[in-house]
Amino acid sequence: MPARIIALANQKGGVGKTTTTVNLAAALAERSKRVLILDFDPQANATSGLGLAKTEGRSLYPVLLGEKPIEELITETAVPRLSIVPAEVNLAGAEVDIPQMDRYLQKLRDAVRPLAETSRFDLIFVDCPPSLGILTMNALTASDSILLPIQCEYYALEGLSVMIRLIDQIRNSGANPNLEIEGILMTMYDQRTNLSNQVVQQVVEHFQDKVYEILIPRSVRVSEAPSYGQPVLLYDRNCTGANAYRQLAREFIAREKARNQPKPAEAVEPAQPATPAESADSKSAANE
Ligand SMILES: Nc1ncnc2c1ncn2[C@@H]1O[C@H](COP(=O)(O)OP(=O)(O)O)[C@@H](O)[C@H]1O
Ligand SMILES: [Mg+2]
């Protein structure tokens, strides 16, 4: 089976994209999945968070330009079964160079799809930068699905609707008609605050079962782990943050299994028309 390619994206910074990429990948590797992280952010936080040095020339930049095969950049990490294609600051140049090229939305897809077709990895995670620029657009064009980490804070829903519109654009433009929503993950949840609870409630109202049941708690151990170059699952094996990411891995795998067993009823039922009371955003989510 080809690897599934999943973009972790949100145009906002600091919402937990990189933390989720690293820790969900580590938790899935713990469960015997072979996972490759593509660090697609010039800030290279996934690279340093996994204890690797940022090295000039070692990023997807030459791969996007067609100057290097992606295989040359695959680097093993301290976590068994978890590999990474690292990033470094020159990757930012791609935002300038790629738009001049033909098929500029397809650069990552062209590089990574052949790798996905080999049976080397089960999952390929793309850790996106906090913007809606060329890199994020390339990630969404290359991916089978998008996992959206959302911080439990005001304006979470507004930020989410921007992403949902972008997903619709990518689908409708023909760049990637089959892009799915893998799931929506609530991060930095603080059960003591009404705000956290209200935000979760609102997001669940709009996106129902797209939202993972596990809420990733705000945890000091999670925020400390990257400075030791480790996923929290290694840094403090049994802290609440590590266990939350293990729970996420369980849900992730359960959804994969459910997806692979299509319900017979689905094939015959016509698509439900959206009710007028629903917002545009909830419609696009319901159509997933
Ligand atoms: N569950 C959490 N608890 C505490 N701190 C967190 C948690 N998730 C992320 N952080 C911290 O928040 C900051 C932003 O997270 P990060 O994953 O880098 O976001 P993004 O990749 O979306 O910019 C980092 O300093 C990270 O360590
Ligand atoms: Mg990041």
Side-chain angles (χ1 to χ4, degrees):
M1 266 220 308
R4 278 203 313 130
I5 307 172
I6 299 163
L8 287 92
N10 183 325
Q11 79 279 12
K12 284 196 67 178
V15 300
K17 289 182 290 295
T18 301
T19 304
T20 299
T21 303
V22 167
N23 289 300
L24 176 58
L28 288 164
E30 222 176 58
R31 298 180 67 99
S32 302
K33 298 282 187 190
R34 297 159 306 161
V35 190
L36 174 66
I37 291 174
L38 305 184
D39 191 344
F40 216 33
D41 183 350
Q43 291 182 65
N45 293 336
T47 300
S48 55
L50 282 164
L52 298 171
K54 304 172 193 177
T55 310
E56 200 182 328
R58 292 196 60 82
S59 79
L60 281 159
Y61 180 57
V63 174
L64 296 170
L65 298 187
E67 292 171 356
K68 224 183 227 183
I70 193 168
E71 285 81 2
E72 251 178 56
L73 291 158
I74 297 173
T75 309
E76 286 185 14
T77 72
V79 182
R81 291 177 292 279
L82 178 58
S83 303
I84 185 169
V85 171
E88 49 102 6
V89 70
N90 285 340
L91 178 58
E95 295 277 359
V96 182
D97 295 340
I98 291 181
Q100 328 278 340
M101 302 168 77
D102 283 346
R103 291 169 55 77
Y104 68 95
L105 285 180
Q106 315 280 341
K107 293 295 162 199
L108 182 65
R109 190 180 180 98
D110 290 348
V112 80
R113 284 273 155 182
L115 174 65
E117 289 299 324
T118 71
S119 54
R120 184 166 174 190
F121 298 102
D122 300 306
L123 293 160
I124 299 177
F125 284 170
V126 190
D127 184 23
C128 292
S131 71
L132 297 179
I134 285 296
L135 290 172
T136 298
M137 300 282 273
N138 260 264
L140 296 186
T141 301
S143 296
D144 295 297
S145 65
I146 172 172
L147 194 161
L148 291 144
I150 308 290
Q151 194 179 343
C152 296
E153 50 143 33
Y154 275 122
Y155 306 122
L157 217 49
E158 283 84 344
L160 198 47
S161 67
V162 171
M163 288 306 300
I164 299 293
R165 270 201 298 279
L166 180 68
I167 293 166
D168 280 341
Q169 275 172 18
I170 296 268
R171 284 178 184 149
N172 297 336
S173 71
N176 188 359
N178 300 322
L179 181 63
E180 287 182 47
I181 295 181
E182 183 72 27
I184 296 170
L185 178 69
M186 306 305 301
T187 64
M188 291 178 242
Y189 173 72
D190 184 347
Q191 62 179 8
R192 294 165 303 181
T193 67
N194 285 335
L195 176 61
S196 262
N197 286 308
Q198 281 165 14
V199 171
V200 171
Q201 207 182 331
Q202 277 187 350
V203 173
V204 170
E205 258 167 38
H206 271 77
F207 295 97
Q208 290 114 32
D209 56 5
K210 283 287 162 203
V211 185
Y212 290 106
E213 276 175 34
I214 184 71
L215 310 170
I216 304 297
R218 188 177 279 285
S219 137
V220 175
R221 306 305 263 170
V222 169
S223 61
E224 285 171 352
S227 55
Y228 294 85
Q230 288 184 338
V232 73
L233 281 87
L234 293 191
Y235 174 64
D236 188 354
R237 273 201 66 74
N238 285 313
C239 69
T240 53
N243 285 327
Y245 275 108
R246 284 195 190 94
Q247 180 60 34
L248 177 62
R250 275 194 285 276
E251 270 192 64
F252 182 97
I253 289 173
R255 284 187 186 195
E256 265 192 339
K257 284 199 179 131
R259 193 184 292 118
N260 290 339
Q261 293 171 342
K263 301 173 206 83
E266 263 181 10
V268 288
E269 261 175 17
Q272 292 291 315
T275 61
E278 280 178 328
S279 74
D281 296 331
S282 64
K283 269 185 227 162
S284 45
N287 287 342
E288 265 302 298

